[in-house]
Amino acid sequence: MPTFPFSAIVGQDEMRQALLIAAVDPSVGGVLVFGDRGTGKSTAIRALAALLPPMTATVGCPYNCDPASPAGSCPHCAAGGPRKSHKKPVPVVDLPLGATEDRVVGTLDLERALGAGVKAFEPGLLARANRGFLYIDEVNLLEDHLVDLLLDVAASGVNTVEREGLSLRHPARFVLVGSGNPEEGELRPQLLDRFGLACEVATPTDIPTRVAVVRARDAYERDPQGFCAAHAKAEAATAKRIEAARKRLPAVTVPDDALEQAARLCLALGTDGLRGELTLMRTARALAALDGAPSVTTDHLRRIAPAALRHRLRRNPLDESGSTARVDRALAEVFG
Ligand SMILES: [Zn+2]
């Protein structure tokens, strides 16, 4: 069955916006999606990956190395001469809750390694996710040490495995997408802070949206090929938009007054450190690139601020309103 098309997803605007931004600039950090079960979180990530242009990868490389950028290659590819390349779809790798650390980072076979070098390394899930997406359902239930490890690797783009003096490094650049239900276990604040964007999704409560969701789902399940064919044009347009935004990104400027507004917003909200402003700037820049705009404006900041900041707020015992409401209030204060 073909993947449900990204452009056929009804509603969930904020989640779709966050995923598009991560596709344009993976360095904004992972995307956290909080909400009810059955709101299509996993569908959306698969749909996004499916519409991205296939990547060119080195044949036989377990890390999907890009033959065009040998600098970031694995020890495997860096050592050899010219290699054959092929096109393959952008991977979406699921990380199951019960996964052991070995399965995630890979295993180094010490006895074999002493004789045979890197060949004694059995790549793990991080190797498969390189240049793609790593998806963790119920990330709030994942063991802390694994979440720490994943966020470190996601930030550095390198997975390092060390066993008794032997070590192996390989590229592991991926967009981390975590989903969960906050009622079933909270993420530590210091981990929350390291996700680039956080969105809330909910089952729609208005009748027309519910009708549209059910209609789309039913049409897809009855005739997947026909449904996808009907959305092929919209899918191609979204793919083009992402590609154009990626090209445009390095040239998008962030004026001083936009940075000042970002700083005022973070001050008004009392977010810790400077990560809030950095993320706000980077995500607004990716959003501007998606819009085809030459520079970041107040409008971009306003549109991305809730997703970039709501998970960085300190608890305020005197303020019982939700984090989204607090960001909205600060936006009104700063932008009028
Ligand atoms: Zn390689």
Side-chain angles (χ1 to χ4, degrees):
M1 194 140 107
T3 311
F4 188 90
F6 190 75
S7 47
I9 296 170
V10 179
Q12 317 295 15
D13 297 350
E14 196 181 42
M15 173 173 66
R16 282 189 292 132
Q17 176 177 269
L19 291 174
L20 286 173
I21 285 173
V24 170
D25 183 3
S27 79
V28 298
V31 178
L32 191 58
V33 188
F34 273 134
D36 309 334
R37 253 173 248 282
T39 37
K41 291 168 283 203
S42 153
T43 304
I45 291 132
R46 268 159 244 283
L48 177 70
L51 73 69
L52 296 175
M55 55 189 196
T56 307
T58 304
V59 175
C61 170
Y63 315 101
N64 312 314
C65 280
D66 181 359
S69 63
S73 290
C74 71
H76 232 59
C77 296
R83 281 165 184 268
K84 280 192 185 158
S85 64
H86 62 160
K87 297 269 185 194
K88 63 189 282 189
V90 173
V92 179
V93 175
D94 279 291
L95 193 149
L97 279 185
T100 60
E101 187 166 331
D102 273 358
R103 180 152 175 232
V104 176
V105 301
T107 47
L108 205 47
D109 182 333
L110 279 176
E111 281 180 23
R112 276 175 59 214
L114 292 171
V118 294
K119 283 191 186 111
F121 180 66
E122 190 65 51
L125 295 174
L126 295 181
R128 279 176 46 210
N130 189 32
R131 303 174 68 199
F133 294 83
L134 188 70
Y135 178 63
I136 311 165
D137 197 18
E138 305 193 85
V139 65
N140 46 329
L141 302 183
L142 195 68
E143 288 171 70
D144 285 347
H145 74 103
L146 274 183
V147 183
D148 274 334
L149 185 155
L150 289 171
L151 288 165
D152 279 340
V153 176
S156 67
V158 177
N159 178 33
T160 307
V161 188
E162 279 169 332
R163 290 281 179 282
E164 298 173 41
L166 282 176
S167 86
L168 183 130
R169 289 157 60 86
H170 72 75
R173 278 178 218 92
F174 52 84
V175 174
L176 186 64
V177 182
S179 84
N181 185 341
E183 284 157 22
E184 292 167 7
E186 280 190 34
L187 274 173
R188 287 176 288 145
Q190 59 269 47
L191 292 180
L192 267 178
D193 180 58
R194 292 170 62 187
F195 276 94
L197 294 166
C199 333
E200 286 166 359
V201 293
T203 311
T205 48
D206 68 297
I207 303 294
T209 308
R210 289 178 82 102
V211 169
V213 170
V214 170
R215 208 182 272 293
R217 199 73 220 176
D218 178 58
Y220 167 71
E221 273 164 22
R222 280 167 61 182
D223 177 13
Q225 311 288 349
F227 187 80
C228 289
H231 287 87
K233 230 174 151 179
E235 290 288 272
T238 309
K240 236 183 181 163
R241 191 175 158 220
I242 295 171
E243 248 189 301
R246 283 176 172 172
K247 284 204 189 101
R248 193 179 293 120
L249 186 69
V252 175
T253 58
V254 187
D256 280 348
D257 64 331
L259 276 184
E260 281 165 23
Q261 282 174 321
R264 268 203 292 273
L265 196 57
C266 291
L267 272 176
L269 284 165
T271 55
D272 284 322
L274 292 172
R275 203 187 290 273
E277 270 138 281
L278 259 175
T279 308
L280 198 53
M281 180 186 82
R282 288 186 184 150
T283 51
R285 187 159 55 197
L287 190 57
L290 278 163
D291 279 1
S295 60
V296 170
T297 65
T298 304
D299 174 60
H300 299 124
L301 290 174
R302 204 188 264 279
R303 276 156 62 201
I304 201 59
L309 299 178
R310 67 159 62 88
H311 54 304
R312 304 175 203 281
L313 309 187
R314 261 175 286 175
R315 265 237 169 101
N316 180 352
L318 299 176
D319 188 348
E320 284 300 303
S321 45
S323 49
T324 305
R326 282 170 67 191
V327 177
D328 285 344
R329 213 162 48 214
L331 277 170
E333 248 170 61
V334 173
F335 297 130

